PDB file of all heavy atoms in Angstrom:
ATOM      1  N   VAL A  28     -41.718  33.931 313.994  1.00 71.00           N
ATOM      2  CA  VAL A  28     -42.838  34.649 314.232  1.00 71.00           C
ATOM      3  C   VAL A  28     -43.463  35.115 312.914  1.00 71.00           C
ATOM      4  O   VAL A  28     -44.579  35.140 312.738  1.00 71.00           O
ATOM      5  CB  VAL A  28     -42.620  35.718 315.376  1.00 71.00           C
ATOM      6  CG1 VAL A  28     -44.015  36.508 315.421  1.00 71.00           C
ATOM      7  CG2 VAL A  28     -42.129  35.224 316.552  1.00 71.00           C
ATOM      8  N   VAL A  29     -42.502  35.717 312.086  1.00 64.00           N
ATOM      9  CA  VAL A  29     -42.960  36.284 310.893  1.00 64.00           C
ATOM     10  C   VAL A  29     -42.278  35.686 309.698  1.00 64.00           C
ATOM     11  O   VAL A  29     -41.274  34.863 309.956  1.00 64.00           O
ATOM     12  CB  VAL A  29     -42.630  37.860 310.829  1.00 64.00           C
ATOM     13  CG1 VAL A  29     -43.404  38.692 311.840  1.00 64.00           C
ATOM     14  CG2 VAL A  29     -41.103  38.122 310.982  1.00 64.00           C
ATOM     15  N   ASP A  30     -42.737  35.920 308.503  1.00 64.00           N
ATOM     16  CA  ASP A  30     -42.209  35.133 307.399  1.00 64.00           C
ATOM     17  C   ASP A  30     -40.713  35.520 307.140  1.00 64.00           C
ATOM     18  O   ASP A  30     -40.241  36.556 307.262  1.00 64.00           O
ATOM     19  CB  ASP A  30     -43.076  35.553 306.137  1.00 64.00           C
ATOM     20  CG  ASP A  30     -42.788  34.522 305.060  1.00 64.00           C
ATOM     21  OD1 ASP A  30     -41.735  34.775 304.244  1.00 64.00           O
ATOM     22  OD2 ASP A  30     -43.564  33.611 304.941  1.00 64.00           O
ATOM     23  N   ASN A  31     -39.882  34.417 306.766  1.00 72.00           N
ATOM     24  CA  ASN A  31     -38.437  34.733 306.550  1.00 72.00           C
ATOM     25  C   ASN A  31     -38.223  35.530 305.243  1.00 72.00           C
ATOM     26  O   ASN A  31     -37.045  36.196 305.172  1.00 72.00           O
ATOM     27  CB  ASN A  31     -37.661  33.479 306.699  1.00 72.00           C
ATOM     28  CG  ASN A  31     -38.026  32.442 305.615  1.00 72.00           C
ATOM     29  OD1 ASN A  31     -38.967  32.707 304.839  1.00 72.00           O
ATOM     30  ND2 ASN A  31     -37.390  31.298 305.693  1.00 72.00           N
ATOM     31  N   VAL A  32     -39.095  35.441 304.324  1.00 73.00           N
ATOM     32  CA  VAL A  32     -38.852  36.344 303.096  1.00 73.00           C
ATOM     33  C   VAL A  32     -38.630  37.827 303.327  1.00 73.00           C
ATOM     34  O   VAL A  32     -37.587  38.305 302.896  1.00 73.00           O
ATOM     35  CB  VAL A  32     -39.950  36.043 302.097  1.00 73.00           C
ATOM     36  CG1 VAL A  32     -39.815  36.908 300.944  1.00 73.00           C
ATOM     37  CG2 VAL A  32     -40.018  34.657 301.624  1.00 73.00           C
ATOM     38  N   PRO A  33     -39.583  38.408 304.044  1.00 70.00           N
ATOM     39  CA  PRO A  33     -39.402  39.707 304.294  1.00 70.00           C
ATOM     40  C   PRO A  33     -38.080  40.159 305.163  1.00 70.00           C
ATOM     41  O   PRO A  33     -37.473  41.154 305.076  1.00 70.00           O
ATOM     42  CB  PRO A  33     -40.572  40.428 304.987  1.00 70.00           C
ATOM     43  CG  PRO A  33     -41.324  39.104 305.506  1.00 70.00           C
ATOM     44  CD  PRO A  33     -40.936  38.013 304.436  1.00 70.00           C
ATOM     45  N   LEU A  34     -37.764  39.312 306.025  1.00 74.00           N
ATOM     46  CA  LEU A  34     -36.629  39.449 306.990  1.00 74.00           C
ATOM     47  C   LEU A  34     -35.387  39.443 306.171  1.00 74.00           C
ATOM     48  O   LEU A  34     -34.495  40.226 306.345  1.00 74.00           O
ATOM     49  CB  LEU A  34     -36.673  38.374 308.008  1.00 74.00           C
ATOM     50  CG  LEU A  34     -37.526  38.425 309.201  1.00 74.00           C
ATOM     51  CD1 LEU A  34     -37.354  37.165 310.105  1.00 74.00           C
ATOM     52  CD2 LEU A  34     -37.141  39.625 310.055  1.00 74.00           C
ATOM     53  N   VAL A  35     -35.150  38.461 305.249  1.00 82.00           N
ATOM     54  CA  VAL A  35     -33.962  38.274 304.449  1.00 82.00           C
ATOM     55  C   VAL A  35     -33.898  39.537 303.528  1.00 82.00           C
ATOM     56  O   VAL A  35     -32.854  40.151 303.276  1.00 82.00           O
ATOM     57  CB  VAL A  35     -33.966  37.061 303.673  1.00 82.00           C
ATOM     58  CG1 VAL A  35     -32.761  37.014 302.652  1.00 82.00           C
ATOM     59  CG2 VAL A  35     -33.847  35.854 304.721  1.00 82.00           C
ATOM     60  N   ALA A  36     -35.101  39.905 302.996  1.00 76.00           N
ATOM     61  CA  ALA A  36     -35.070  40.971 302.049  1.00 76.00           C
ATOM     62  C   ALA A  36     -34.656  42.324 302.726  1.00 76.00           C
ATOM     63  O   ALA A  36     -33.943  43.115 302.325  1.00 76.00           O
ATOM     64  CB  ALA A  36     -36.655  41.250 301.518  1.00 76.00           C
ATOM     65  N   ALA A  37     -35.122  42.370 303.960  1.00 75.00           N
ATOM     66  CA  ALA A  37     -34.739  43.604 304.894  1.00 75.00           C
ATOM     67  C   ALA A  37     -33.302  43.487 305.116  1.00 75.00           C
ATOM     68  O   ALA A  37     -32.547  44.530 305.070  1.00 75.00           O
ATOM     69  CB  ALA A  37     -35.564  43.629 306.163  1.00 75.00           C
ATOM     70  N   SER A  38     -32.699  42.271 305.514  1.00 78.00           N
ATOM     71  CA  SER A  38     -31.372  42.186 305.720  1.00 78.00           C
ATOM     72  C   SER A  38     -30.488  42.537 304.469  1.00 78.00           C
ATOM     73  O   SER A  38     -29.361  43.183 304.605  1.00 78.00           O
ATOM     74  CB  SER A  38     -30.956  40.770 306.145  1.00 78.00           C
ATOM     75  OG  SER A  38     -31.726  40.413 307.327  1.00 78.00           O
ATOM     76  N   MET A  39     -30.933  42.176 303.364  1.00 80.00           N
ATOM     77  CA  MET A  39     -30.189  42.546 302.162  1.00 80.00           C
ATOM     78  C   MET A  39     -30.213  43.997 301.795  1.00 80.00           C
ATOM     79  O   MET A  39     -29.240  44.596 301.297  1.00 80.00           O
ATOM     80  CB  MET A  39     -30.855  41.805 300.896  1.00 80.00           C
ATOM     81  CG  MET A  39     -30.786  40.381 300.818  1.00 80.00           C
ATOM     82  SD  MET A  39     -31.845  39.489 299.681  1.00 80.00           S
ATOM     83  CE  MET A  39     -31.011  40.025 298.158  1.00 80.00           C
ATOM     84  N   GLY A  40     -31.275  44.700 302.365  1.00 74.00           N
ATOM     85  CA  GLY A  40     -31.135  46.117 302.273  1.00 74.00           C
ATOM     86  C   GLY A  40     -30.395  46.850 303.305  1.00 74.00           C
ATOM     87  O   GLY A  40     -29.959  48.047 303.218  1.00 74.00           O
ATOM     88  N   MET A  41     -30.291  46.330 304.559  1.00 74.00           N
ATOM     89  CA  MET A  41     -29.595  46.728 305.744  1.00 74.00           C
ATOM     90  C   MET A  41     -27.980  46.767 305.526  1.00 74.00           C
ATOM     91  O   MET A  41     -27.412  47.670 306.049  1.00 74.00           O
ATOM     92  CB  MET A  41     -29.919  45.917 306.906  1.00 74.00           C
ATOM     93  CG  MET A  41     -31.357  46.287 307.523  1.00 74.00           C
ATOM     94  SD  MET A  41     -32.032  44.814 308.617  1.00 74.00           S
ATOM     95  CE  MET A  41     -30.602  44.885 309.888  1.00 74.00           C
ATOM     96  N   TYR A  42     -27.524  45.787 304.807  1.00 79.00           N
ATOM     97  CA  TYR A  42     -26.084  45.622 304.752  1.00 79.00           C
ATOM     98  C   TYR A  42     -25.713  45.485 303.268  1.00 79.00           C
ATOM     99  O   TYR A  42     -26.294  44.847 302.483  1.00 79.00           O
ATOM    100  CB  TYR A  42     -25.591  44.313 305.447  1.00 79.00           C
ATOM    101  CG  TYR A  42     -26.017  44.253 306.859  1.00 79.00           C
ATOM    102  CD1 TYR A  42     -27.119  43.459 307.343  1.00 79.00           C
ATOM    103  CD2 TYR A  42     -25.279  45.014 307.891  1.00 79.00           C
ATOM    104  CE1 TYR A  42     -27.415  43.362 308.688  1.00 79.00           C
ATOM    105  CE2 TYR A  42     -25.748  44.895 309.281  1.00 79.00           C
ATOM    106  CZ  TYR A  42     -26.854  44.098 309.568  1.00 79.00           C
ATOM    107  OH  TYR A  42     -27.149  44.045 310.941  1.00 79.00           O
ATOM    108  N   SER A  43     -24.573  46.308 302.977  1.00 79.00           N
ATOM    109  CA  SER A  43     -24.199  46.339 301.591  1.00 79.00           C
ATOM    110  C   SER A  43     -23.043  45.380 301.202  1.00 79.00           C
ATOM    111  O   SER A  43     -22.445  44.834 302.224  1.00 79.00           O
ATOM    112  CB  SER A  43     -23.614  47.900 301.383  1.00 79.00           C
ATOM    113  OG  SER A  43     -22.463  47.926 301.998  1.00 79.00           O
ATOM    114  N   LEU A  44     -22.964  45.044 299.975  1.00 85.00           N
ATOM    115  CA  LEU A  44     -22.053  44.142 299.463  1.00 85.00           C
ATOM    116  C   LEU A  44     -20.700  44.613 299.501  1.00 85.00           C
ATOM    117  O   LEU A  44     -19.676  43.959 299.522  1.00 85.00           O
ATOM    118  CB  LEU A  44     -22.371  43.511 298.077  1.00 85.00           C
ATOM    119  CG  LEU A  44     -23.385  42.517 298.000  1.00 85.00           C
ATOM    120  CD1 LEU A  44     -23.694  42.426 296.529  1.00 85.00           C
ATOM    121  CD2 LEU A  44     -22.896  41.122 298.414  1.00 85.00           C
ATOM    122  N   GLN A  45     -20.546  45.978 299.552  1.00 84.00           N
ATOM    123  CA  GLN A  45     -19.235  46.618 299.650  1.00 84.00           C
ATOM    124  C   GLN A  45     -18.645  46.379 300.919  1.00 84.00           C
ATOM    125  O   GLN A  45     -17.440  46.177 301.207  1.00 84.00           O
ATOM    126  CB  GLN A  45     -19.334  48.220 299.381  1.00 84.00           C
ATOM    127  CG  GLN A  45     -19.582  48.564 297.858  1.00 84.00           C
ATOM    128  CD  GLN A  45     -20.999  48.272 297.437  1.00 84.00           C
ATOM    129  OE1 GLN A  45     -21.938  48.258 298.248  1.00 84.00           O
ATOM    130  NE2 GLN A  45     -21.201  47.985 296.257  1.00 84.00           N
ATOM    131  N   GLN A  46     -19.511  46.519 302.071  1.00 83.00           N
ATOM    132  CA  GLN A  46     -19.096  46.325 303.487  1.00 83.00           C
ATOM    133  C   GLN A  46     -18.939  44.847 303.762  1.00 83.00           C
ATOM    134  O   GLN A  46     -18.073  44.304 304.515  1.00 83.00           O
ATOM    135  CB  GLN A  46     -20.190  46.950 304.425  1.00 83.00           C
ATOM    136  CG  GLN A  46     -19.656  46.894 305.896  1.00 83.00           C
ATOM    137  CD  GLN A  46     -20.688  47.593 306.849  1.00 83.00           C
ATOM    138  OE1 GLN A  46     -21.719  47.989 306.344  1.00 83.00           O
ATOM    139  NE2 GLN A  46     -20.348  47.779 308.011  1.00 83.00           N
ATOM    140  N   TYR A  47     -19.908  44.039 303.175  1.00 88.00           N
ATOM    141  CA  TYR A  47     -19.876  42.610 303.613  1.00 88.00           C
ATOM    142  C   TYR A  47     -19.966  41.813 302.181  1.00 88.00           C
ATOM    143  O   TYR A  47     -21.012  41.618 301.621  1.00 88.00           O
ATOM    144  CB  TYR A  47     -21.032  42.186 304.324  1.00 88.00           C
ATOM    145  CG  TYR A  47     -21.061  42.826 305.681  1.00 88.00           C
ATOM    146  CD1 TYR A  47     -21.907  43.904 306.036  1.00 88.00           C
ATOM    147  CD2 TYR A  47     -20.310  42.318 306.751  1.00 88.00           C
ATOM    148  CE1 TYR A  47     -21.971  44.519 307.242  1.00 88.00           C
ATOM    149  CE2 TYR A  47     -20.343  42.901 308.038  1.00 88.00           C
ATOM    150  CZ  TYR A  47     -21.128  43.976 308.307  1.00 88.00           C
ATOM    151  OH  TYR A  47     -21.099  44.725 309.470  1.00 88.00           O
ATOM    152  N   PRO A  48     -18.709  41.372 301.652  1.00 90.00           N
ATOM    153  CA  PRO A  48     -18.739  40.832 300.262  1.00 90.00           C
ATOM    154  C   PRO A  48     -19.392  39.456 300.261  1.00 90.00           C
ATOM    155  O   PRO A  48     -19.836  38.824 301.248  1.00 90.00           O
ATOM    156  CB  PRO A  48     -17.136  40.600 300.079  1.00 90.00           C
ATOM    157  CG  PRO A  48     -16.473  41.474 301.101  1.00 90.00           C
ATOM    158  CD  PRO A  48     -17.414  41.617 302.256  1.00 90.00           C
ATOM    159  N   ALA A  49     -19.571  38.915 299.009  1.00 86.00           N
ATOM    160  CA  ALA A  49     -20.225  37.644 298.845  1.00 86.00           C
ATOM    161  C   ALA A  49     -19.509  36.524 299.570  1.00 86.00           C
ATOM    162  O   ALA A  49     -18.264  36.582 299.820  1.00 86.00           O
ATOM    163  CB  ALA A  49     -20.252  37.310 297.418  1.00 86.00           C
ATOM    164  N   ASP A  50     -20.365  35.646 300.260  1.00 87.00           N
ATOM    165  CA  ASP A  50     -19.914  34.544 300.973  1.00 87.00           C
ATOM    166  C   ASP A  50     -19.203  34.829 302.275  1.00 87.00           C
ATOM    167  O   ASP A  50     -18.449  34.103 302.901  1.00 87.00           O
ATOM    168  CB  ASP A  50     -18.936  33.693 300.163  1.00 87.00           C
ATOM    169  CG  ASP A  50     -19.588  33.102 298.948  1.00 87.00           C
ATOM    170  OD1 ASP A  50     -20.735  32.666 298.966  1.00 87.00           O
ATOM    171  OD2 ASP A  50     -18.927  33.126 297.807  1.00 87.00           O
ATOM    172  N   SER A  51     -19.527  36.028 302.756  1.00 88.00           N
ATOM    173  CA  SER A  51     -18.897  36.452 304.208  1.00 88.00           C
ATOM    174  C   SER A  51     -19.703  35.801 305.162  1.00 88.00           C
ATOM    175  O   SER A  51     -20.748  35.249 304.897  1.00 88.00           O
ATOM    176  CB  SER A  51     -18.926  38.020 304.235  1.00 88.00           C
ATOM    177  OG  SER A  51     -20.110  38.621 304.185  1.00 88.00           O
ATOM    178  N   PHE A  52     -19.292  35.861 306.357  1.00 90.00           N
ATOM    179  CA  PHE A  52     -19.874  35.267 307.618  1.00 90.00           C
ATOM    180  C   PHE A  52     -21.203  35.680 307.653  1.00 90.00           C
ATOM    181  O   PHE A  52     -22.158  34.841 307.891  1.00 90.00           O
ATOM    182  CB  PHE A  52     -19.033  35.641 308.865  1.00 90.00           C
ATOM    183  CG  PHE A  52     -19.897  35.195 310.208  1.00 90.00           C
ATOM    184  CD1 PHE A  52     -19.629  33.886 310.624  1.00 90.00           C
ATOM    185  CD2 PHE A  52     -20.709  36.041 310.844  1.00 90.00           C
ATOM    186  CE1 PHE A  52     -20.400  33.586 311.909  1.00 90.00           C
ATOM    187  CE2 PHE A  52     -21.405  35.835 311.969  1.00 90.00           C
ATOM    188  CZ  PHE A  52     -21.234  34.450 312.450  1.00 90.00           C
ATOM    189  N   LEU A  53     -21.483  36.924 307.504  1.00 89.00           N
ATOM    190  CA  LEU A  53     -22.918  37.562 307.620  1.00 89.00           C
ATOM    191  C   LEU A  53     -23.958  37.002 306.770  1.00 89.00           C
ATOM    192  O   LEU A  53     -25.014  36.421 307.190  1.00 89.00           O
ATOM    193  CB  LEU A  53     -22.808  39.134 307.380  1.00 89.00           C
ATOM    194  CG  LEU A  53     -24.207  39.779 307.392  1.00 89.00           C
ATOM    195  CD1 LEU A  53     -24.727  39.946 308.823  1.00 89.00           C
ATOM    196  CD2 LEU A  53     -24.249  41.134 306.782  1.00 89.00           C
ATOM    197  N   TRP A  54     -23.552  36.757 305.440  1.00 92.00           N
ATOM    198  CA  TRP A  54     -24.716  36.313 304.564  1.00 92.00           C
ATOM    199  C   TRP A  54     -24.890  34.835 304.734  1.00 92.00           C
ATOM    200  O   TRP A  54     -26.059  34.419 304.594  1.00 92.00           O
ATOM    201  CB  TRP A  54     -24.079  36.546 303.068  1.00 92.00           C
ATOM    202  CG  TRP A  54     -23.922  38.047 302.724  1.00 92.00           C
ATOM    203  CD1 TRP A  54     -22.773  38.696 302.445  1.00 92.00           C
ATOM    204  CD2 TRP A  54     -24.978  39.098 303.062  1.00 92.00           C
ATOM    205  NE1 TRP A  54     -23.037  39.990 302.316  1.00 92.00           N
ATOM    206  CE2 TRP A  54     -24.405  40.380 302.575  1.00 92.00           C
ATOM    207  CE3 TRP A  54     -26.295  39.166 303.297  1.00 92.00           C
ATOM    208  CZ2 TRP A  54     -25.061  41.520 302.581  1.00 92.00           C
ATOM    209  CZ3 TRP A  54     -27.007  40.237 303.307  1.00 92.00           C
ATOM    210  CH2 TRP A  54     -26.343  41.512 302.921  1.00 92.00           C
ATOM    211  N   GLU A  55     -23.701  34.044 304.875  1.00 92.00           N
ATOM    212  CA  GLU A  55     -24.007  32.609 305.105  1.00 92.00           C
ATOM    213  C   GLU A  55     -24.840  32.317 306.424  1.00 92.00           C
ATOM    214  O   GLU A  55     -25.708  31.466 306.436  1.00 92.00           O
ATOM    215  CB  GLU A  55     -22.684  31.900 305.147  1.00 92.00           C
ATOM    216  CG  GLU A  55     -21.953  31.719 303.830  1.00 92.00           C
ATOM    217  CD  GLU A  55     -20.823  30.752 303.889  1.00 92.00           C
ATOM    218  OE1 GLU A  55     -20.445  30.359 304.972  1.00 92.00           O
ATOM    219  OE2 GLU A  55     -20.311  30.460 302.732  1.00 92.00           O
ATOM    220  N   PHE A  56     -24.500  33.026 307.524  1.00 93.00           N
ATOM    221  CA  PHE A  56     -25.266  32.794 308.724  1.00 93.00           C
ATOM    222  C   PHE A  56     -26.689  33.422 308.650  1.00 93.00           C
ATOM    223  O   PHE A  56     -27.479  32.681 309.262  1.00 93.00           O
ATOM    224  CB  PHE A  56     -24.302  33.582 309.849  1.00 93.00           C
ATOM    225  CG  PHE A  56     -24.816  32.918 311.280  1.00 93.00           C
ATOM    226  CD1 PHE A  56     -24.888  31.661 311.377  1.00 93.00           C
ATOM    227  CD2 PHE A  56     -24.855  33.854 312.222  1.00 93.00           C
ATOM    228  CE1 PHE A  56     -25.109  31.122 312.637  1.00 93.00           C
ATOM    229  CE2 PHE A  56     -25.074  33.342 313.565  1.00 93.00           C
ATOM    230  CZ  PHE A  56     -25.225  32.016 313.694  1.00 93.00           C
ATOM    231  N   ILE A  57     -26.856  34.317 307.771  1.00 91.00           N
ATOM    232  CA  ILE A  57     -28.308  34.817 307.659  1.00 91.00           C
ATOM    233  C   ILE A  57     -28.993  33.686 306.872  1.00 91.00           C
ATOM    234  O   ILE A  57     -30.210  33.382 307.209  1.00 91.00           O
ATOM    235  CB  ILE A  57     -28.320  36.138 306.898  1.00 91.00           C
ATOM    236  CG1 ILE A  57     -28.020  37.327 307.835  1.00 91.00           C
ATOM    237  CG2 ILE A  57     -29.720  36.356 306.224  1.00 91.00           C
ATOM    238  CD1 ILE A  57     -27.892  38.573 307.099  1.00 91.00           C
ATOM    239  N   ALA A  58     -28.408  33.063 305.910  1.00 92.00           N
ATOM    240  CA  ALA A  58     -29.062  32.061 305.111  1.00 92.00           C
ATOM    241  C   ALA A  58     -29.461  30.895 306.060  1.00 92.00           C
ATOM    242  O   ALA A  58     -30.480  30.218 305.981  1.00 92.00           O
ATOM    243  CB  ALA A  58     -28.075  31.539 304.024  1.00 92.00           C
ATOM    244  N   TYR A  59     -28.483  30.489 307.035  1.00 94.00           N
ATOM    245  CA  TYR A  59     -28.720  29.462 307.891  1.00 94.00           C
ATOM    246  C   TYR A  59     -29.971  29.831 308.885  1.00 94.00           C
ATOM    247  O   TYR A  59     -30.891  29.094 309.076  1.00 94.00           O
ATOM    248  CB  TYR A  59     -27.549  28.948 308.746  1.00 94.00           C
ATOM    249  CG  TYR A  59     -27.928  28.062 309.815  1.00 94.00           C
ATOM    250  CD1 TYR A  59     -27.993  26.722 309.576  1.00 94.00           C
ATOM    251  CD2 TYR A  59     -28.076  28.436 311.160  1.00 94.00           C
ATOM    252  CE1 TYR A  59     -28.314  25.881 310.635  1.00 94.00           C
ATOM    253  CE2 TYR A  59     -28.277  27.657 312.082  1.00 94.00           C
ATOM    254  CZ  TYR A  59     -28.528  26.442 311.931  1.00 94.00           C
ATOM    255  OH  TYR A  59     -28.851  25.547 312.905  1.00 94.00           O
ATOM    256  N   CYS A  60     -29.725  30.929 309.527  1.00 93.00           N
ATOM    257  CA  CYS A  60     -30.659  31.299 310.666  1.00 93.00           C
ATOM    258  C   CYS A  60     -31.989  31.556 310.165  1.00 93.00           C
ATOM    259  O   CYS A  60     -33.023  31.221 310.716  1.00 93.00           O
ATOM    260  CB  CYS A  60     -30.133  32.432 311.502  1.00 93.00           C
ATOM    261  SG  CYS A  60     -28.662  32.130 312.459  1.00 93.00           S
ATOM    262  N   ALA A  61     -32.103  32.384 308.979  1.00 89.00           N
ATOM    263  CA  ALA A  61     -33.503  32.698 308.487  1.00 89.00           C
ATOM    264  C   ALA A  61     -34.107  31.399 307.977  1.00 89.00           C
ATOM    265  O   ALA A  61     -35.339  31.318 308.014  1.00 89.00           O
ATOM    266  CB  ALA A  61     -33.343  33.704 307.378  1.00 89.00           C
ATOM    267  N   GLY A  62     -33.342  30.485 307.409  1.00 90.00           N
ATOM    268  CA  GLY A  62     -33.970  29.354 306.767  1.00 90.00           C
ATOM    269  C   GLY A  62     -34.381  28.279 307.802  1.00 90.00           C
ATOM    270  O   GLY A  62     -35.431  27.682 307.551  1.00 90.00           O
ATOM    271  N   THR A  63     -33.660  28.306 308.836  1.00 93.00           N
ATOM    272  CA  THR A  63     -34.047  27.064 309.726  1.00 93.00           C
ATOM    273  C   THR A  63     -34.744  27.661 311.072  1.00 93.00           C
ATOM    274  O   THR A  63     -35.500  26.980 311.690  1.00 93.00           O
ATOM    275  CB  THR A  63     -32.727  26.510 310.365  1.00 93.00           C
ATOM    276  OG1 THR A  63     -31.969  27.363 310.985  1.00 93.00           O
ATOM    277  CG2 THR A  63     -31.959  25.751 309.196  1.00 93.00           C
ATOM    278  N   GLY A  64     -34.675  28.970 311.410  1.00 92.00           N
ATOM    279  CA  GLY A  64     -35.327  29.624 312.495  1.00 92.00           C
ATOM    280  C   GLY A  64     -36.944  29.494 312.390  1.00 92.00           C
ATOM    281  O   GLY A  64     -37.627  29.393 313.396  1.00 92.00           O
ATOM    282  N   GLY A  65     -37.421  29.486 311.159  1.00 87.00           N
ATOM    283  CA  GLY A  65     -38.786  29.448 310.933  1.00 87.00           C
ATOM    284  C   GLY A  65     -39.449  28.104 311.377  1.00 87.00           C
ATOM    285  O   GLY A  65     -40.624  28.037 311.552  1.00 87.00           O
ATOM    286  N   SER A  66     -38.646  27.019 311.690  1.00 91.00           N
ATOM    287  CA  SER A  66     -39.263  25.834 312.110  1.00 91.00           C
ATOM    288  C   SER A  66     -39.606  25.856 313.560  1.00 91.00           C
ATOM    289  O   SER A  66     -40.497  25.043 314.072  1.00 91.00           O
ATOM    290  CB  SER A  66     -38.124  24.702 311.938  1.00 91.00           C
ATOM    291  OG  SER A  66     -37.622  24.549 310.622  1.00 91.00           O
ATOM    292  N   ILE A  67     -39.164  26.840 314.261  1.00 92.00           N
ATOM    293  CA  ILE A  67     -39.471  26.951 315.823  1.00 92.00           C
ATOM    294  C   ILE A  67     -41.084  27.088 315.990  1.00 92.00           C
ATOM    295  O   ILE A  67     -41.516  26.507 316.946  1.00 92.00           O
ATOM    296  CB  ILE A  67     -38.679  28.081 316.411  1.00 92.00           C
ATOM    297  CG1 ILE A  67     -37.213  27.740 316.218  1.00 92.00           C
ATOM    298  CG2 ILE A  67     -38.986  28.140 317.868  1.00 92.00           C
ATOM    299  CD1 ILE A  67     -36.312  28.805 316.723  1.00 92.00           C
ATOM    300  N   LEU A  68     -41.661  27.844 315.082  1.00 86.00           N
ATOM    301  CA  LEU A  68     -43.096  27.872 315.232  1.00 86.00           C
ATOM    302  C   LEU A  68     -43.809  27.522 313.907  1.00 86.00           C
ATOM    303  O   LEU A  68     -43.157  27.666 312.819  1.00 86.00           O
ATOM    304  CB  LEU A  68     -43.684  29.375 315.501  1.00 86.00           C
ATOM    305  CG  LEU A  68     -43.206  29.895 316.903  1.00 86.00           C
ATOM    306  CD1 LEU A  68     -43.649  31.311 317.056  1.00 86.00           C
ATOM    307  CD2 LEU A  68     -43.927  29.031 318.032  1.00 86.00           C
ATOM    308  N   ILE A  69     -44.954  26.977 313.916  1.00 81.00           N
ATOM    309  CA  ILE A  69     -45.541  26.452 312.633  1.00 81.00           C
ATOM    310  C   ILE A  69     -45.934  27.516 311.684  1.00 81.00           C
ATOM    311  O   ILE A  69     -45.940  27.209 310.354  1.00 81.00           O
ATOM    312  CB  ILE A  69     -47.033  25.727 313.101  1.00 81.00           C
ATOM    313  CG1 ILE A  69     -47.538  24.964 311.824  1.00 81.00           C
ATOM    314  CG2 ILE A  69     -48.007  26.706 313.536  1.00 81.00           C
ATOM    315  CD1 ILE A  69     -46.782  23.707 311.619  1.00 81.00           C
ATOM    316  N   ILE A  70     -46.034  28.755 312.021  1.00 73.00           N
ATOM    317  CA  ILE A  70     -46.329  29.804 311.042  1.00 73.00           C
ATOM    318  C   ILE A  70     -45.051  30.469 310.521  1.00 73.00           C
ATOM    319  O   ILE A  70     -45.029  31.442 309.882  1.00 73.00           O
ATOM    320  CB  ILE A  70     -47.312  30.880 311.683  1.00 73.00           C
ATOM    321  CG1 ILE A  70     -46.613  31.615 312.810  1.00 73.00           C
ATOM    322  CG2 ILE A  70     -48.657  30.260 312.028  1.00 73.00           C
ATOM    323  CD1 ILE A  70     -47.374  32.824 313.371  1.00 73.00           C
ATOM    324  N   GLY A  71     -43.922  30.018 311.000  1.00 76.00           N
ATOM    325  CA  GLY A  71     -42.604  30.746 310.750  1.00 76.00           C
ATOM    326  C   GLY A  71     -42.061  30.441 309.359  1.00 76.00           C
ATOM    327  O   GLY A  71     -41.094  31.063 309.007  1.00 76.00           O
ATOM    328  N   SER A  72     -42.649  29.425 308.582  1.00 80.00           N
ATOM    329  CA  SER A  72     -42.022  29.136 307.267  1.00 80.00           C
ATOM    330  C   SER A  72     -43.163  28.663 306.375  1.00 80.00           C
ATOM    331  O   SER A  72     -44.172  28.166 306.893  1.00 80.00           O
ATOM    332  CB  SER A  72     -41.065  28.060 307.394  1.00 80.00           C
ATOM    333  OG  SER A  72     -41.624  26.799 307.911  1.00 80.00           O
ATOM    334  N   ALA A  73     -42.912  28.719 305.040  1.00 76.00           N
ATOM    335  CA  ALA A  73     -43.859  28.244 304.125  1.00 76.00           C
ATOM    336  C   ALA A  73     -44.178  26.811 304.279  1.00 76.00           C
ATOM    337  O   ALA A  73     -45.164  26.164 304.103  1.00 76.00           O
ATOM    338  CB  ALA A  73     -43.392  28.509 302.714  1.00 76.00           C
TER     339      ALA A  73
END
């Protein structure tokens, strides 16, 4: 529904690297879901 850039930017601010280190489940799954979820509607991705 909305652009994935602000969503991922918001997610990066919501969760810290101290709590969720690099390459943890959270960050990889965010990369997948935010990257591919935008295909569901025509306005969801660049």
Side-chain angles (χ1 to χ4, degrees):
V28 180
V29 297
D30 196 276
N31 59 2
V32 172
L34 280 177
V35 172
S38 302
M39 291 167 69
M41 284 163 57
Y42 303 102
S43 67
L44 279 168
Q45 288 74 28
Q46 187 179 5
Y47 300 100
D50 299 318
S51 61
F52 170 86
L53 174 73
W54 300 121
E55 285 192 354
F56 201 38
I57 283 177
Y59 170 81
C60 290
T63 61
S66 304
I67 298 171
L68 292 177
I69 191 76
I70 63 168
S72 66

